[in-house]
Amino acid sequence: MDSGMFGKALGRIFAALVLVLLVAGVARAAYMLLAPLVPALVSLVVLGVIYWVIFRGIRR
């Protein structure tokens, strides 16, 4: 195996590792920012469904 080929493969592996870690970090940050909004969003959806059932009725 040529040393140049090994260097290229090692560079690609390192780049892939950095990319995976970057995506994981961004996903973790997004989760930490959006997680507090989930209960409010669920509450709004439930209230919307209750409104729809009370004022629009269930059509059969």
Side-chain angles (χ1 to χ4, degrees):
M1 182 184 256
D2 191 16
S3 63
M5 271 179 80
F6 183 70
K8 284 184 183 180
L10 191 59
R12 286 186 176 190
I13 291 172
F14 181 71
L17 179 64
V18 168
L19 181 64
V20 167
L21 290 176
L22 184 65
V23 169
V26 170
R28 178 72 175 180
Y31 173 77
M32 289 176 66
L33 289 173
L34 296 176
L37 299 177
V38 171
L41 183 63
V42 169
S43 299
L44 287 174
V45 169
V46 168
L47 287 174
V49 169
I50 291 171
Y51 168 81
W52 188 265
V53 169
I54 289 174
F55 292 108
R56 300 286 182 172
I58 300 175
R59 304 205 175 185
R60 295 181 186 189

